Amino acid sequence: MNETQIRAALDYHSDPKPGKIEIVPTKPVETRADLALAYTPGVGQASMAIAHDPAQAARLTGRANLVAVVSDGTAVLGLGNIGPLASKPVMEGKSVLFKLLGGVNAFDIEVDTRDVDHFVDVVAALEPTFGGINLEDIKAPECFEIEERLKARMKIPVMHDDQHGTAVVVAAALRNALLVTGRDMAATRLVCVGAGASAIACLDLLVEMGLPRPNICMLDSGGLVHRGRNGLNKYKARFAQETDLGGWEQVMQGADVLLCLSGPGSVDPTHLQRMAARPIVMALANPTPEIMPEIILTERPDAIVCTGRSDYPNQVNNALGFPYIFRAALDCGATAITEEMKLACAMALSDLARETPASLDSAGFGPLYLIPDVLDPRLLAVVASAVVLAAIRSGVATRPISDIEAYKRELETQYGALKPKKNSPSVQSVPANASAETAEPRRMSAALV
């Protein structure tokens, strides 16, 4: 960012009030009678009702629409381990997106500990307060253990969005890219650059969708992940090739998909020449991708490209997933977020993009529009209802919704006005003959997990 942009960002966060969220009462407290109902003595009636029947908390308090956005600040955006206090603006921002896109009240919790046991104990103890836990920006491999242990201890939905939110949107985009290029998931060869939390979650979900595990080659800072290497953790080991297939040159030969979840400059453009016809390249490091789209299209004009940026087509944005997954989970009283719910979200996003016609704001379904725009007004009703149905099928819904069409209408009525307005088209078309002079210089880095 330049100096003007930096100043604008700091001013935005500081004026006219510090931060981005505040608490607003939902009931009138204007008279003594109101006060007697809001607090003592009336509040005691609500407390006693919940003491007799804990399920009444969903009716008498805001818990069933309240999510905690929890981080230890060890893996914040592209900033790394900046600590819990410095992570607070990001967690507040996530809370804003929950509200704007899903109508979900969210509050940020920054936990000052690096001890997994302590972190898990702190978050688990918050269960009476919140209806769901969104874990955020926690580094691997600790994030895997934290999520697993919290899911086992808590009876409310727990999801590490850096893992599963990314996975859901990647799965949706890849499903449509395979359709556009005439590929079958079962015959697709994928190279994954990066082996951190989001990469592993993406691969797990793609395997659930039918991508054969042997067709996946994972590259980290040590090269190809294979069973002959020492020191692989159990999460990487799930995607280890049986033998060492060689370096980049061998692994990239004939690959259909390059999925990058690492860091800027980690892909050599010349390796793209080894990929199959009409390659799918997902360079998702943000804000600077592993390889810039202009360079990808210079090397491979036939490529389909996804990034994590809003100024290029096919933005893989977690905001397409988490607001609607949690909206659905809260509404049906889900005790967990299951694989079936995540798959339902991915399929709903994919199908919604296929139904998108060309307009002033989008190119319509095709190579430049594989996933919906994050401000698409159809998202809430369509995606949340699909996730609710999956929660019911999974057996985790404690308050099943019987009339899904009525639920869709309620979402549109109750939360339809929350979405921010579009000021301009959110993506730009990247021409196949884009000049490499306008792109970042070619370079390599070891920024792989």
Side-chain angles (χ1 to χ4, degrees), residues 405-423:
E405 291 305 315
Y407 175 60
K408 288 182 181 179
R409 292 192 295 272
E410 181 182 352
L411 289 176
E412 290 169 348
T413 301
Q414 188 169 358
Y415 302 118
L418 291 170
K419 290 185 179 296
K421 300 291 190 296
K422 289 186 181 183
N423 293 322

Side-chain angles (χ1 to χ4, degrees), residues 46 49-50 53-61:
I50 294 167
D53 178 10
Q56 291 297 312
R59 187 173 72 90
L60 299 174
T61 77

